[in-house]
Amino acid sequence: MNIKPIVPREQAFRDIDDAIDHYLTEAGGRVALGFIDALEQAYRSIGRHPAASSPRYAHELALPSLRSHLLKRYPYLVFYVELDDRIDVWRVLHAKRDIPASLQGSENT
């Protein structure tokens, strides 16, 4: 099985840092570590089966290759595009955000 490497963009790193800070402040270290574990599990799944995630927002935003993967037990979505040599992670966003507005322009950053 060919597993593609996950390469988060700068904005995805900022999203992840914000989520971790939120969980550390609001729920403590154990919950923050759980978020990190869920994110790592999602990355492994995406790397193995990139086409298995939802194309829902691809249709809404007219970005045909965009996929999203919901974290287990956390309300966050990983947004990414599969490339020939890697998985390009654009954003990691809370599911209650205005997703289309948050993703506008992400394809250029």
Side-chain angles (χ1 to χ4, degrees), residues 41-56:
Q41 182 180 11
Y43 280 176
R44 283 191 299 275
S45 178
I46 292 166
R48 286 185 182 102
H49 308 288
S53 296
S54 174
R56 173 187 171 194

Side-chain angles (χ1 to χ4, degrees), residues 20-29:
I20 292 169
D21 288 345
H22 168 75
Y23 284 123
L24 283 171
T25 302
E26 300 297 323

Side-chain angles (χ1 to χ4, degrees), residues 3 13 16-18 24-25 33-34 53 58 60 70 80 101 104:
I3 300 173
F13 282 123
I16 294 163
D17 286 344
D18 289 347
L24 283 171
T25 302
L33 287 173
S53 296
E60 287 185 34
L70 180 64
Y80 67 91
Q104 292 291 47

Side-chain angles (χ1 to χ4, degrees), residues 52-99:
S53 296
S54 174
R56 173 187 171 194
Y57 293 99
H59 301 299
E60 287 185 34
L61 297 167
L63 298 167
S65 57
L66 183 69
R67 298 273 180 180
S68 64
H69 184 95
L70 180 64
L71 297 188
K72 206 176 237 183
R73 297 186 316 271
Y74 290 84
Y76 279 82
L77 293 159
V78 176
F79 290 92
Y80 67 91
V81 171
E82 180 183 9
L83 302 175
D84 290 337
D85 61 339
R86 69 186 184 282
I87 303 297
D88 185 18
V89 175
W90 289 8
R91 303 291 305 265
V92 178
L93 299 172
H94 193 284
K96 298 241 182 205
R97 287 186 69 169
D98 180 350
I99 300 295

